[in-house]
């Protein structure tokens, strides 16, 4: 469907679908706030939100109050800043495709964690972020794990780079268009080079950017249409008491991702 452009608040262009019957300004502002907070790495105050959206504080204030009252966002009373609550995550998690994915993934991930002594997590693509939709914790005394519902920029994580590497067609074009809005040209070139390497290898393995000493091993999970719908990742933590080597973990993680893909209807071509 084609779109036309109108001037919004303070001359900000708006995308309006051709043939749209109604304009709903309050809903538009609310969605803009939610999207902004989802992309922001830190909580934002009223002024920062208003400036980022090119809207007046008067326009934004009442919407913030309603979103806070409805538990979609959380206000920090000390800093007077706002961030997303977990409500959006839980709503998306109730979505049937996500429920099916996690229901199939959890027993396979539990088996992987038991065999390797390592934690593991499952991430899905959400615009330019990865959202963690399932996580299983190692039974060893010293562990590293990722919080359920956590979000990370795709270019900073193995899961994100892997998921970016296996997008194709319109999904790939949309992802790259969104990425060019949030990272500079140099970072985009680095990401494209890394994507080429991961596509060739079929999986992603590298030292964690965020946590020294962790080596992320990430494999794609495919559905029956051969789309990569998730990334299964083991953040490998070397330990003296560990009973599997990184080479063994890599093999077991690949088997787990293959098993999960098969449970979703994917069939490996012969």
């Amino acid at each position: 469907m084609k779109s036309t452009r109108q001037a919004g608040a303070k001359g900000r262009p708006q995308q309006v679908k051709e043939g749209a019957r109604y304009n709903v300004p309050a809903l538009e502002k609310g969605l803009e706030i939610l999207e902004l907070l989802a992309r922001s790495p830190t909580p934002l105050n009223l002024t920062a939100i208003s400036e980022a959206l090119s809207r007046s504080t008067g326009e934004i204030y009442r919407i913030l109050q309603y979103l806070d009252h409805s538990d979609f966002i959380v206000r920090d009373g000390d800093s007077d800043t706002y961030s997303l609550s977990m409500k959006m995550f839980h709503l998306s998690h109730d979505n049937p495709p996500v429920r099916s994915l996690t229901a199939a993934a959890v027993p396979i991930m539990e088996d992987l964690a038991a065999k390797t002594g390592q934690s593991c997590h499952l991430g899905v693509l959400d615009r330019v972020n990865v959202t963690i939709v399932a996580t299983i914790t190692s039974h060893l005394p010293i562990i590293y794990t990722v919080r359920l519902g956590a979000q990370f920029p795709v270019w900073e994580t193995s899961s994100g780079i892997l998921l970016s590497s296996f997008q194709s067609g319109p999904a790939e074009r949309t992802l790259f268009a969104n990425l060019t809005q949030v990272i500079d040209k140099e970072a985009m070139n680095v990401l494209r080079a890394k994507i080429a390497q991961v596509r060739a290898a079929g999986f992603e393995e590298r030292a964690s950017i965020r946590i020294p000493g962790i080596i992320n091993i990430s494999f794609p999970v495919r559905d029956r249409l051969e789309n990569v719908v998730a990334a299964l990742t083991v953040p490998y933590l070397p330990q003296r008491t560990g009973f599997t080597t990184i080479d063994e973990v890599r093999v077991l993680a690949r088997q787990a991702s293959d098993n999960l893909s098969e449970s979703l209807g994917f069939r490996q071509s012969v």
Side-chain angles (χ1 to χ4, degrees):
M1 181 178 289
K2 294 181 180 179
S3 296
T4 57
R5 298 182 74 87
Q6 290 183 347
K10 298 187 179 179
R12 181 178 48 80
Q14 293 177 291
Q15 287 289 341
V16 179
K17 288 184 179 179
E18 187 178 276
R21 188 174 178 184
Y22 300 111
N23 290 325
V24 190
L27 177 59
E28 179 186 352
K29 295 168 194 174
L31 293 175
E32 286 177 355
I33 291 169
L34 292 175
E35 290 180 355
L36 175 64
L37 293 178
R39 293 192 300 267
S40 176
T42 58
L44 300 174
N45 61 23
L46 172 61
T47 301
I49 294 171
S50 300
E51 290 178 351
L53 299 179
S54 299
R55 294 187 181 275
S56 70
T57 55
E59 287 181 278
I60 296 300
Y61 179 74
R62 291 183 63 185
I63 306 297
L64 285 173
Q65 297 303 300
Y66 181 80
L67 290 173
D68 184 21
H69 176 74
S70 303
D71 296 326
F72 281 98
I73 64 175
V74 177
R75 177 179 173 271
D76 185 310
D78 294 331
S79 62
D80 201 22
T81 56
Y82 298 88
S83 58
L84 281 186
S85 71
M86 290 295 292
K87 187 170 184 176
M88 294 294 291
F89 169 74
H90 291 307
L91 286 173
S92 66
H93 209 64
D94 287 340
N95 183 273
V98 177
R99 281 207 309 272
S100 299
L101 174 62
T102 55
V106 166
I108 293 171
M109 293 170 65
E110 288 176 339
D111 181 64
L112 175 62
K115 288 178 178 177
T116 61
Q118 300 286 332
S119 301
C120 57
H121 55 266
L122 192 73
V124 298
L125 196 61
D126 180 11
R127 291 177 62 86
V128 295
N129 295 308
V130 172
T131 299
I132 305 304
V133 296
T135 182
I136 302 296
T137 302
S138 165
H139 63 271
L140 294 181
I142 300 174
I143 64 170
Y144 171 76
T145 189
V146 177
R147 177 177 58 82
L148 182 66
Q151 279 198 325
F152 305 97
V154 297
W155 61 93
E156 291 186 2
T157 65
S158 293
S159 298
I161 291 174
L162 181 128
L163 288 167
S164 301
S165 300
F166 291 101
Q167 300 302 302
S168 60
E172 180 183 47
R173 290 192 292 273
T174 298
L175 172 63
F176 286 171
N178 289 335
L179 283 169
T180 57
Q181 302 300 312
V182 292
I183 60 176
D184 60 29
K185 185 176 180 179
E186 181 179 353
M188 193 69 197
N189 289 338
V190 171
L191 178 60
R192 287 183 182 275
K194 186 62 180 174
I195 283 173
Q197 295 173 5
V198 172
R199 281 177 175 168
F203 72 105
E204 160 74 334
E205 181 176 329
R206 66 167 174 168
S208 171
I209 294 176
R210 292 172 174 265
I211 309 295
I214 297 291
I215 300 173
N216 291 320
I217 304 170
S218 189
F219 284 92
V221 175
R222 293 178 168 85
D223 64 11
R224 63 184 182 83
L225 300 177
E226 302 187 9
N227 298 314
V228 172
V229 294
L232 177 61
T233 301
V234 176
Y236 179 76
L237 175 63
Q239 297 189 54
R240 290 183 179 178
T241 56
F243 50 86
T244 48
T245 66
I246 190 169
D247 292 333
E248 292 169 327
V249 169
R250 189 184 305 111
V251 170
L252 291 169
R254 184 190 297 273
Q255 291 174 353
S257 68
D258 288 345
N259 291 341
L260 179 52
S261 296
E262 289 178 8
S263 73
L264 297 177
F266 174 71
R267 293 295 178 264
Q268 193 78 259
S269 354
V270 180

